[in-house]
Structures are given as structure tokens and as C-alpha cells.
Amino acid sequence: FFLFTLSPQGFDPPHQSETRTVYVANRFPQHGHYIPQRFADNRIISSKYTIWNFVPKNLFEQFRRIANFYFLIIFLVQLMIDTPTSPVTSGLPLFFVITVTAIKQGYEDWLRHKADNEVNGAPVFVVRSGSLVQTRSKNIRVGDIVRVAKDETFPADLVLLSSDRADGTCHITTASLDGETNLKTHYSVAETSVCQSVSRLEALQAVVECQQPEADLYRPLGPENLLLRGARLKNTKEIFGVAVYTGMESKMALNYKCKSQKRSAVEKSMNTFLIIYLGILLFEAVLSTILKYAWQAENKWDEPFYNQKTEQEKNSSPILKFISDFLAFLVLYNFIIPISLYVTVEMQKFLGSFFIGWDLDLYHEETDQKAQVNTSDLNEELGQVEYVFTDKTGTLTENEMHFRECSINGTKYREIFFFVSCCLILPYFFSFQIGDELLFLKAVSLCHTVQISYDQPDCLVGGGDPFSHANVSSKYKLLHVLEFDADRRRMSVILQTPSGNTVFYSSAFVKGLRTLVVACRHFSPKEYIDVDRRLNMARTALQQREEKLQEAFSYIERDLQLLGATGVEDKLQDKVQETIEALRLAGIKVWVLTGDKHETAVSVSLSCGHFHRTMNILELLQQRSDNECAEQLGRLARSCENVLYHGLVVDGASLSLALREHEKLFMEVCKNCSAVLCCRMAPLQKAKVVRLIKTSPEKPITLAIGDGANDVSMIQEAHVGIGIMGKEGRQAVRNSDYAIARFKFLAKLLLVHGHFYYIRIATLVQYFFYKNVCFITPQFLYQFFCLFSQQTLYDSVYLTLYNICFTSLPILVYSLFEQLVHPHVLQNKPGLYRDISRNAMLSFRTFLYWTLLGFCHAFVFFFGSYILMGEDTTLMGNGQVCMFGNWTFGTLVFTVMVITVTLKLALETHFWTWMNHFVTWGSIAFYFIFSLFYGGIIWPFLHTQDMYFVFVQLLSSGSAWFAIIIIVITCLFPDVVKKVFYRHLQPTIVIWSYKLL
């Protein structure tokens, strides 16, 4: 509700916390004790960072990750105590990871800032200092008088003061808010409708007392006076309105949740695996420390004279020495935690997201719109979806109404051309039609809120008035409009006929198509006076206004004469039925959440294939109490036992009762239904349903898709939110994770891109843990041969570059291009989507396989090198005998490891591109070239030259080459046998699909 008051200067209405006082044109009272209320500015903010908080906020978010925080601790330990490796070995990779991640997240937030700036910087006109001043949208304040021209979007929630129309009305479309493309009529405040010039508005002294901001789009403070931000002005030259809600307090913005960081199921699995590996690390460090002290306790392991303890070391606390040694071993083994995993995942997601935008199958030629990615962090989540929650209007349908048939006095008329040229043929109908047909056509022509746009040339004959050829006596005077609402499911008009009589026309929805029953009633002069009085009293009531309006409408809409019915159809989008069927075959449950009435929603569900004709439809509708709701749910649960396929229909009111006390029983019924339809849903109810499913014990992955601002809350609530690029408005798109032009593109987005992304990143994660186990386990084994002296097996440069340079590119390219199955196969056989559901490729069993494989290969690397080079001598190419030291041994182990882990990934690759070949063989070649360069020069800035000429000596040995070949073959031979076995003895669709690549 709101109270509009024309006031003398200095009027100060009492302020209450439940309401807000808005002074039109910001003319505040002059007396000194008045304190203005503080309101939000008109900026819309969808970004996470600012220039000032980016560094601390981003660092805080990054160090919440287990691996990053762990490596920070390791780096600090290396700075504080004497450790076997340089702080650079941990600090450099950590800095690299933090920097790359910050750049990626900063870029994505910059795109959000750019979108916000386009909205906030849009030019608007406001009335200030007696003139019309151009400013930016972000500068609008509560109380400003704003001028909006035709086809412009309202920059804030405005109370309509006046329009250029004599009757003070304007017409708007709310497609960007609720997906409805029909025009809605709004009325200016009666006291200000004559203020159609800047000078009269400047002289206006008025106060608006209104309720505090609320999110409900369907309960505005005055439905006929309030113009919501995001709606668009149509068929009206210009309007003036006073801003009452601005920025993040507008109804559109209040339907947005605060954007929280969404985490994918893969990232949660990564964190679990990191904790397990942290446990392995701690175990190895504790064991090594204990064994060190156990072995040093024996006299035969006394320190040599050149390594005797100092007096300070002998007198130091044993506990502190134990802790120091434990931390030293922790640093020595710390690379078992793959810090570069995160940066590789970030790069894979960021680069991989471009493939969605480049996919021509997701491009809509008619609107020139391609798919877009707003949040690349959830790419793999597209392959794990179990529930899809979709809006209906504008998402499943085109939101274009097509006339199909009508019935007049029992006679059915089918579509030929009917209202296609309505503005031209109706005057002729009026000239010769008689009886029921004429009355029906009059009712259909007059009972609506359609407005004729006189500047549209295709509706004109000879460029003149479309009714210029009609008899003047066809003209009616509109007295009242009884607006449509979801409870009455009808709208009515009261008109004065050319002869001066008063007639009442009404249209009401019934089952079937979008069917309107048309009826009329004639009022006597006395009856109309009573009707007019009741309507005016109800519309001006300050208390219980909605209830009084309903009473007045009920009094008027009775004793009607039935004239006939019309049937129109909301055209479905292309391939909606095929898309829903593909999702169903993929094991995905589809829920339709709509604000439409029950009959219309069911009709569309049947036509789009969401409900099948043979499906047993269960209903939970119009429940009045908790007990009644519980009884009905019990009956529905019992009925699910006899039929295989069920569909459930539930309305918003019944859903609220079900979720209040009977959530468990309601979920039991839903689980037995292959399709669920929720009708008459408020926007926040949609989000509540999504939250209910995603927090259920099974924790399924949810996806929400919609096209309007009323879908934003559920889009943000779901694990994955997808916006449909509608005809008008970008609210759903701006607040979604992904955006597509049509619902049909959802099938390929999930079944192909989702499938690829998940398999790629799942393999990436497992491979990273595998190669780091291979990397650090020989370091652990080496301690048994050096009496746990914390001597490192590898050179510090190799420690630093193993994950950053030597083994990083092959897995990154693999994770961008790998295709285990051909895309056409994935689209034609949606059932393959089930094979990767429930995070199948990151199960504990798969994780255990890769971990054990890493340990096995590490043992082969270490002991294979030890056995083959155990004599510690080698015959070089020139015939000289050379001693093999610990650096040579470590380099041999490292060389075998780099070759093996790279070729292991090559065996896992099914889709080879030139880039795969380049990085696979190039990484091995780069390692050899770098090692020759690094070991062939004396580097003056290094404290030691331990690696000088080591690699050259190693490659000069024939026995070293023999050892490399034997160890690599030993490690990879079982994998080759396994792949041959599976390909030939257990052929599957995955195997034969390789032949298509």
C-alpha cells in the first residue's frame, strides 16, 4: 500500500519503522529537527571485488583452500628453521598459483563490473532545479522525479505521477521480470495526473508514505501505480514518476540472493583427497622422525667427526629437536600435496569455457545469440546434474499466443485468419453481424488491455487512422477495468455503449488450451452507480485494500450471460519435447516451476512431453490445513505402489503446507515421480523448492533454468544456474552461471559439454595425485638409505620445476581436448550420461587405484634404478669408468619418472590432436634440453654446483639408457595389456566409438 499526500511546505508525516517516507523532488521539511531517512543509492552491484578489497579478499578466499594454506605454512617453516630444501621450492610455486588464480578471478569480476557499469551508467533524465537534467542511472536518489520515454527501461521502482496520455495511463511490458510479454496498463496518481510538464512537477509538493522494500514481485505497493525497475515503457511517449525504491532495494534486486561462491562436486572431492594425502604426509614425516631417533640410538650409527653436534645442539631441548626434525621431514615430503593442481584446474576451466561460446550448435541464428559462460568454475558440474528445475513461460514456450478456435452459442469456429487483421475486419463485422455472434465479437474486442500503436504502418490503411473508415458509432467509453489476478482467474471491463447504456464484459480461464470463457452483463443506471461507488471505495481504502477489492469484484462478477469461449495456444519452443525426453533418458528428473494456474501449466506439461498421456497424474492442490495436507500426501504415497510412472502436480499454497510439517513425506512422494509440476509459484518459493532438493540426504546436483527476474532466486540457489536469453531483459542472464538462447540447447550443454568437462577434470585430478605420489615416494624411500639424514634425492631446481614445467602442459592440453566418446554418440545415446553420474570417476575406488598405481611406479623407479645401477660405477662412452653419486642416482630416478608419467598420460589419451603430440613429446624433449643446459654451465648465483656435468655423464652411460628403457617398459607394460584386453575382449559403445574419432 501507499499513501500519496499533497502537502504544504514543512509537512512532516510521522515516521514508522514499517514504512518509509518519500518527499517528492526531495523537498524536505524546513524545521531543524527533521532527520532525513537514509536510502540505498541506485547502483546495481553483481561483482564481488573492488580495487581496494581485491587483494585481501582474494587472498583470503584462496588461502581457504587446503593446498594453498598448507604450502603457505610450509613456506613459513622453511623461512624459520634450517630445512633440507630452499624456501624457493615452495614459495615460487605458491606465488605462481596465487597469481594465476587471482588474474583469472579478477578478469571474470572485471566482466561483471563492465556489465554493472553499462547499467549504472545508462543516461536518464530527472527533474531538478526547474529543468530536465540528464544524469546517470546510478545518481538517481529516492524522491527524484524521473522521466522515462517510450521503449526505455525504468531505472528504479517509480510511482507513476503522470503520462502524456489524457487519461494518465501508460502501458508497460514486464518480460524481463516475469517473462510475460503482454502489455500491462498502469495508472498515474489521480492528484498528479495533470502534472504533465516540468514546471508543474517542479511546483509539486507531495509526500509518499509506503511500505519498506519487499521482494515479492506480485505484491507491489500499488499494482496500478508502481512501475518496477527492469520493466519497459510501451505505446506511451513519456511518463514522469517519483523513485521510491532504488538500487539494491528495488524489487528486481531483492529477488537476487547474495552471490555465494559455488563449489563443484569435483572440488569437494579434491579437498577430501587432499586431506587424505595430508594424512599420508604426516604419517611419513612422523615415521621418518621416529626411525631417525631409533637408529641414532645405536652406537654403530654415531655421527662422523666432520658432522659432530655443536655444544648448542647437544644442550638443546629434545622435544624442540624432535619438532624441528619433524618439520624438516614435512618440508622434504611436502610435494606429495600437488599445489599446482589448483592452478591447472583454474586454467582448464577458464580456457575450456571458451568451447561453449564457440560451439555453433549452441548458436541461435535468428537472434544472433551464442551461449555464454559467466562462471567457469562449474563446467564439470554440467556433467553431474540430477534435477532440472525449469520455468515455463518464455523458457519452454515462446510466450507468443496463437488463436486456434472459438465457440459461439455452441457453434465451433476454427482458425483460418481470424484476428490476424483484427483491426481491419471488426468494424465490418459490427456493420452486418447480428445476435450472439455480434455480442461475442464485441466482448472479445472490448474486454482486454490491448493497446493499438498508431505509429505502426503495417496496421494502417493509407497511413491513416485504422478506424477512419468505420462508423463513429462503433466507439465505446471505458469506465472501469477489473484487473486479472491469479485467484479470480479473470479480468473484466465496464463500458458505456454509444447509446449510453452500461455493459459489463468478463473473460475467465478454464481447462484445455489457454481458454477464455466470455460473458456479459447489462447494468441499469442505478446498478452502475452502486458498482462505481463500491469500486472507488475499495481502490482508495488504506486498510485491507486487497480484501475490499476482492469483495467488490465478487459483487460485480455475478449473474453473467455466457456468450462463448476462445482457445489460444502458447507456442512451444523448438525441440522442447525432444530435449525433455533426452534429459529423462539421461536419468535427469525435470521439475517445472511456474507462476501459472493449474490448468494452463498441466496443458503445457502434456504438450511438451513433461507429462505423458499414459502417466498417472497425482495432485496436491488447494490444501487448507496441515492435517488435510498430511492425509492427501499419505494417499499419494500409497498410490505410488501400483503404477510405474507418476507425475505430481502441486500448487504454491499446498507446497508451503507440505514443507512446513511434512517435508519427509512430500520428498518420499516426489522420489517416486518421474516428473513434477509446481504451479502458482512465487519467485522465492521456487528457490525454496530447489533448496529442499539440493539439501536432501542424497545431496543431488541441481540445475535451474529460466528467463525472467522472477527466476533469478532459483537460478542462484541451484548448483548450476542457466539463463535463457529472452526477447527483453537480461536479469536471468546477468545472474546465471551460463546463458543459452533456447531451451533445446540444454541437451547438448549437459550431455556433451558436461560429459566432456567432467571426464577431463576427473582424470586431471586423479593424474595429478598419481604423478605427485610418483614424485615424492622415492624421496621417502631414499631416507632409509641415508639414515634419515634429510638428504634430498632431487636437486632444488627439479623440485621446483617438476609440476610447473616438466609435467604441466600435457595434462592441461589433455583436459582441454580429450573426447572419450564422440559427441554424436553422446547426443544420440543420452543413457551414457548415467555412467558418470554421482561423481563416478572420482569415487574412492578410482582414487585408490590411481594412488596405489603411483606408489607402485615409485617403487619401480627407485628400486629399479638402485638394482640396475647398484654397483655405483658406469662405463662412459670414452671407455673411462665413472663413479655414480647420489645426485646422479637422483637424476636417473627423476628422468625415468618424467618419461613414465608423461607416457602414462599418453596411454590415457583417446583423442589426439597436433597440440597433444606437441606438448607430450615436447615436454620430454624440454626436460632433456633444460637438464643439459642447467648442468652444463657453472651458475655464479648458486651457492653450490652439485648438478654440474651430472646429466651429461648420465646420458653418456649406456647402462643408464638401458635402465631408463627397462624401467619405463616395466611400469607401462601392464597398462598396455589392460587396454588391449578391454578393447578386444570387452567391446562396449565406448570402445567402438573410438573408431569414429
Side-chain angles (χ1 to χ4, degrees):
F1 73 93
F2 75 90
L3 173 64
F4 191 93
T5 308
L6 294 175
S7 62
Q9 190 69 22
F11 172 71
D12 185 11
H15 170 64
Q16 301 175 8
S17 59
E18 295 81 9
T19 63
R20 64 166 48 185
T21 303
V22 177
Y23 290 86
V24 177
N26 290 304
R27 290 190 180 85
F28 302 112
Q30 298 301 311
H31 45 77
H33 69 268
Y34 172 73
I35 301 176
Q37 291 177 261
R38 297 181 63 87
F39 304 118
D41 59 30
N42 202 41
R43 288 179 299 171
I44 291 293
I45 302 173
S46 62
S47 55
K48 279 200 309 185
Y49 305 109
T50 66
I51 294 177
W52 311 112
N53 71 13
F54 176 75
V55 172
K57 190 172 181 179
N58 187 264
L59 288 177
F60 173 76
E61 290 184 352
Q62 291 208 55
F63 283 116
R64 288 170 58 190
R65 288 176 165 171
I66 296 174
N68 290 352
F69 183 74
Y70 162 77
F71 267 86
L72 176 64
I73 297 300
I74 292 296
F75 177 67
L76 295 177
V77 168
Q78 287 178 300
L79 291 176
M80 291 186 294
I81 67 171
D82 183 23
T83 57
T85 57
S86 167
V88 176
T89 60
S90 295
L92 186 62
L94 178 63
F95 176 77
F96 178 73
V97 168
I98 296 297
T99 302
V100 172
T101 303
I103 292 173
K104 180 252 185 186
Q105 293 181 352
Y107 172 74
E108 290 185 345
D109 201 62
W110 174 77
L111 294 179
R112 288 190 284 268
H113 272 283
K114 187 178 179 182
D116 289 343
N117 290 337
E118 290 180 7
V119 175
N120 297 328
V124 295
F125 287 90
V126 297
V127 177
R128 288 179 184 167
S129 303
S131 61
L132 205 58
V133 179
Q134 183 176 359
T135 184
R136 297 184 183 277
S137 175
K138 64 182 180 181
N139 297 328
I140 294 176
R141 299 169 297 174
V142 170
D144 278 343
I145 298 177
V146 183
R147 177 237 184 190
V148 179
K150 180 182 176 182
D151 294 327
E152 290 182 350
T153 300
F154 300 118
D157 289 352
L158 310 175
V159 170
L160 179 58
L161 297 178
S162 64
S163 76
D164 67 309
R165 291 173 174 263
D167 58 359
T169 62
C170 73
H171 308 290
I172 71 170
T173 175
T174 57
S176 62
L177 299 178
D178 53 18
E180 296 289 345
T181 57
N182 59 299
L183 296 186
K184 297 177 175 63
T185 304
H186 285 248
Y187 301 86
S188 59
V189 177
E191 293 86 349
T192 62
S193 59
V194 296
C195 299
Q196 297 175 329
S197 65
V198 173
S199 59
R200 299 195 68 171
L201 288 168
E202 178 65 20
L204 181 64
Q205 295 181 11
V207 173
V208 178
E209 187 81 8
C210 60
Q211 62 199 29
Q212 294 291 357
E214 63 174 21
D216 194 344
L217 287 169
Y218 302 107
R219 291 192 60 191
L221 78 171
E224 69 279 357
N225 301 115
L226 185 67
L227 307 172
L228 298 182
R229 177 173 188 150
R232 191 181 296 273
L233 183 65
K234 290 289 187 181
N235 287 10
T236 309
K237 184 179 179 181
E238 67 176 12
I239 64 97
F240 288 94
V242 57
V244 289
Y245 305 129
T246 53
M248 300 308 289
E249 290 184 344
S250 64
K251 288 184 178 289
M252 182 185 74
L254 289 175
N255 274 273
Y256 307 160
K257 281 178 50 185
C258 181
K259 265 200 168 180
S260 57
Q261 185 73 20
K262 293 183 178 180
R263 302 287 184 188
S264 69
V266 169
E267 187 164 348
K268 294 174 183 176
S269 296
M270 285 168 50
N271 290 336
T272 302
F273 297 159
L274 284 170
I275 292 174
I276 294 175
Y277 271 70
L278 185 60
I280 295 174
L281 170 65
L282 293 175
F283 170 77
E284 290 181 345
V286 170
L287 179 63
S288 298
T289 308
I290 293 174
L291 290 177
K292 175 179 181 178
Y293 282 88
W295 287 12
Q296 285 184 350
E298 300 183 23
N299 294 331
K300 64 178 181 178
W301 300 119
D302 284 343
E303 295 280 353
F305 71 93
Y306 55 80
N307 198 28
Q308 292 292 324
K309 296 179 182 179
T310 64
E311 290 298 320
Q312 181 180 357
E313 290 175 334
K314 291 179 181 179
N315 298 328
S316 62
S317 169
I319 296 178
L320 292 178
K321 187 68 173 84
F322 184 91
I323 294 175
S324 177
D325 284 330
F326 167 75
L327 292 176
F329 279 117
L330 203 65
V331 170
L332 189 64
Y333 304 148
N334 77 88
F335 282 97
I336 197 173
I337 306 294
I339 184 174
S340 57
L341 168 61
Y342 277 114
V343 72
T344 307
V345 167
E346 292 283 353
M347 294 176 67
Q348 188 270 347
K349 290 181 177 182
F350 177 69
L351 297 175
S353 64
F354 288 103
F355 291 110
I356 292 179
W358 293 337
D359 190 344
L360 293 180
D361 290 338
L362 303 182
Y363 171 72
H364 193 239
E365 189 172 359
E366 295 178 17
T367 57
D368 190 29
Q369 292 173 326
K370 62 180 182 179
Q372 70 183 54
V373 178
N374 298 329
T375 306
S376 61
D377 292 336
L378 305 172
N379 291 345
E380 67 276 10
E381 206 82 327
L382 294 171
Q384 295 294 295
V385 174
E386 296 171 72
Y387 282 82
V388 167
F389 299 92
T390 176
D391 179 42
K392 181 186 70 66
T393 306
T395 303
L396 300 180
T397 67
E398 293 282 6
N399 203 12
E400 294 179 357
M401 305 304 163
H402 294 268
F403 173 82
R404 290 293 179 249
E405 59 188 49
C406 70
S407 174
I408 306 174
N409 196 21
T411 304
K412 184 179 290 187
Y413 299 87
R414 293 192 178 278
E415 171 194 17
I416 299 178
F417 54 86
F418 206 69
F419 294 137
V420 174
S421 303
C422 177
C423 61
L424 298 180
I425 68 172
L426 280 181
Y428 296 107
F429 269 109
F430 290 164
S431 64
F432 64 81
Q433 290 288 343
I434 59 173
D436 297 331
E437 289 81 3
L438 176 58
L439 199 54
F440 173 83
L441 289 171
K442 284 184 178 180
V444 172
S445 304
L446 299 170
C447 186
H448 57 72
T449 54
V450 175
Q451 297 296 321
I452 298 173
S453 178
Y454 287 88
D455 57 356
Q456 297 297 322
D458 56 345
C459 196
L460 302 180
V461 178
D465 189 329
F467 292 108
S468 60
H469 59 285
N471 192 308
V472 175
S473 62
S474 297
K475 294 189 177 178
Y476 289 74
K477 181 179 181 180
L478 181 63
L479 301 177
H480 288 284
V481 175
L482 279 60
E483 297 84 3
F484 175 87
D485 64 62
D487 293 322
R488 291 163 43 243
R489 294 187 292 179
R490 72 184 67 179
M491 69 87 58
S492 306
V493 293
I494 303 177
L495 306 115
Q496 187 178 48
T497 67
S499 61
N501 297 324
T502 305
V503 64
F504 171 84
Y505 292 118
S506 181
S507 301
F509 281 105
V510 295
K511 292 185 179 181
L513 296 172
R514 285 181 174 260
T515 305
L516 284 176
V517 170
V518 182
C520 74
R521 177 184 175 187
H522 294 272
F523 291 127
S524 66
K526 183 178 179 181
E527 287 176 325
Y528 175 69
I529 292 174
D530 182 41
V531 166
D532 185 61
R533 179 183 58 82
R534 286 174 180 266
L535 283 174
N536 288 330
M537 287 180 61
R539 282 180 169 146
T540 56
L542 295 180
Q543 302 295 331
Q544 297 180 328
R545 184 166 170 271
E546 293 182 4
E547 291 81 355
K548 291 179 180 179
L549 274 174
Q550 291 300 320
E551 290 177 6
F553 289 171
S554 299
Y555 174 78
I556 298 169
E557 295 171 334
R558 60 188 176 89
D559 301 330
L560 304 180
Q561 175 190 350
L562 179 62
L563 300 178
T566 63
V568 298
E569 181 183 28
D570 189 358
K571 182 182 177 183
L572 287 174
Q573 288 189 14
D574 185 34
K575 295 186 178 179
V576 166
Q577 187 167 354
E578 294 88 336
T579 303
I580 291 178
E581 183 61 25
L583 296 179
R584 183 179 289 115
L585 292 174
I588 299 173
K589 290 189 175 183
V590 179
W591 288 36
V592 176
L593 311 181
T594 177
D596 268 350
K597 61 187 180 68
H598 163 231
E599 294 84 356
T600 303
V602 171
S603 176
V604 174
S605 282
L606 287 170
S607 63
C608 72
H610 180 237
F611 283 169
H612 289 294
R613 299 286 176 182
T614 58
M615 187 179 287
N616 180 35
I617 304 299
L618 310 176
E619 293 186 345
L620 184 66
L621 303 170
Q622 299 179 351
Q623 302 300 300
R624 305 297 182 188
S625 65
D626 286 335
N627 291 335
E628 182 183 343
C629 183
E631 292 176 3
Q632 178 65 5
L633 283 171
R635 286 192 293 268
L636 295 179
R638 290 189 295 272
S639 64
C640 291
E641 300 172 359
N642 303 322
V643 184
L644 185 58
Y645 295 106
H646 303 275
L648 175 65
V649 184
V650 56
D651 60 19
S654 302
L655 180 67
S656 297
L657 288 175
L659 299 184
R660 186 189 305 165
E661 299 290 341
H662 317 291
E663 182 178 307
K664 190 174 182 181
L665 185 56
F666 176 73
M667 284 300 301
E668 183 181 340
V669 174
C670 290
K671 288 176 186 176
N672 293 320
C673 296
S674 55
V676 177
L677 170 64
C678 300
C679 56
R680 301 185 69 179
M681 299 280 290
L684 296 182
Q685 272 189 311
K686 294 182 179 182
K688 191 172 183 179
V689 170
V690 176
R691 190 183 308 118
L692 170 69
I693 298 299
K694 69 183 278 192
T695 56
S696 62
E698 294 80 8
K699 297 292 188 296
I701 304 301
T702 58
L703 179 148
I705 180 170
D707 70 318
N710 59 336
D711 302 314
V712 167
S713 57
M714 78 167 180
I715 285 174
Q716 293 183 335
E717 181 64 49
H719 291 95
V720 181
I722 297 184
I724 295 289
M725 301 171 186
K727 296 177 181 177
E728 294 192 48
R730 305 280 294 180
Q731 305 313 318
V733 171
R734 281 167 49 83
N735 290 274
S736 63
D737 303 306
Y738 303 87
I740 54 180
R742 287 295 182 268
F743 182 81
K744 66 179 180 180
F745 296 149
L746 183 62
K748 185 170 186 182
L749 189 65
L750 299 186
L751 304 182
V752 178
H753 287 283
H755 197 284
F756 284 159
Y757 285 134
Y758 176 74
I759 287 179
R760 291 165 181 170
I761 204 165
T763 306
L764 183 154
V765 171
Q766 303 282 26
Y767 176 77
F768 249 94
F769 285 110
Y770 154 78
K771 73 186 182 76
N772 275 49
V773 169
C774 292
F775 179 39
I776 215 65
T777 302
Q779 187 88 279
F780 172 69
L781 297 174
Y782 187 60
Q783 298 307 303
F784 287 86
F785 293 84
C786 66
L787 299 183
F788 296 93
S789 62
Q790 299 157 4
Q791 169 65 39
T792 178
L793 178 62
Y794 311 122
D795 181 71
S796 293
V797 172
Y798 285 161
L799 283 171
T800 304
L801 298 183
Y802 174 75
N803 279 316
I804 295 179
C805 296
F806 299 146
T807 60
S808 59
L809 285 181
I811 185 58
L812 177 60
V813 173
Y814 170 94
S815 63
L816 291 175
F817 298 107
E818 174 66 354
Q819 294 183 13
L820 186 62
V821 187
H822 196 277
H824 294 314
V825 177
L826 293 175
Q827 281 191 283
N828 295 329
K829 299 193 176 293
L832 292 175
Y833 193 84
R834 298 171 184 254
D835 296 340
I836 61 170
S837 63
R838 305 297 297 177
N839 209 7
M841 292 192 66
L842 285 175
S843 64
F844 186 75
R845 178 181 177 182
T846 310
F847 165 74
L848 191 62
Y849 161 76
W850 280 95
T851 301
L852 292 178
L853 183 67
F855 280 115
C856 290
H857 284 184
F859 273 78
V860 174
F861 299 155
F862 184 85
F863 290 107
S865 300
Y866 181 79
I867 292 172
L868 293 175
M869 310 301 294
E871 295 299 323
D872 208 29
T873 59
T874 183
L875 188 65
M876 298 185 64
N878 57 8
Q880 295 180 347
V881 176
C882 176
M883 299 296 293
F884 259 18
N886 67 300
W887 293 116
T888 309
F889 176 72
T891 303
L892 175 61
V893 173
F894 192 85
T895 302
V896 171
M897 177 174 56
V898 169
I899 296 174
T900 302
V901 299
T902 303
L903 294 181
K904 168 61 179 173
L905 183 62
L907 288 175
E908 295 295 321
T909 304
H910 300 95
F911 186 73
W912 283 87
T913 66
W914 68 267
M915 196 170 293
N916 292 86
H917 285 288
F918 178 78
V919 298
T920 299
W921 315 120
S923 292
I924 297 175
F926 173 76
Y927 165 71
F928 277 86
I929 294 171
F930 174 84
S931 297
L932 288 171
F933 179 71
Y934 171 58
I937 299 176
I938 295 178
W939 300 92
F941 55 83
L942 295 179
H943 297 296
T944 62
Q945 304 294 328
D946 295 329
M947 295 299 294
Y948 179 69
F949 222 62
V950 169
F951 197 71
V952 175
Q953 283 187 334
L954 181 68
L955 296 187
S956 300
S957 168
S959 56
W961 281 103
F962 176 77
I964 292 172
I965 296 172
I966 291 297
I967 294 172
V968 171
I969 292 177
T970 302
C971 288
L972 298 180
F973 183 72
D975 287 283
V976 175
V977 173
K978 183 187 72 172
K979 286 192 173 294
V980 172
F981 175 81
Y982 277 111
R983 278 176 179 265
H984 291 86
L985 298 185
Q986 294 186 7
T988 64
I989 187 171
V990 174
I991 301 302
W992 64 257
S993 65
Y994 295 157
K995 301 175 183 178
L996 298 176
L997 301 180

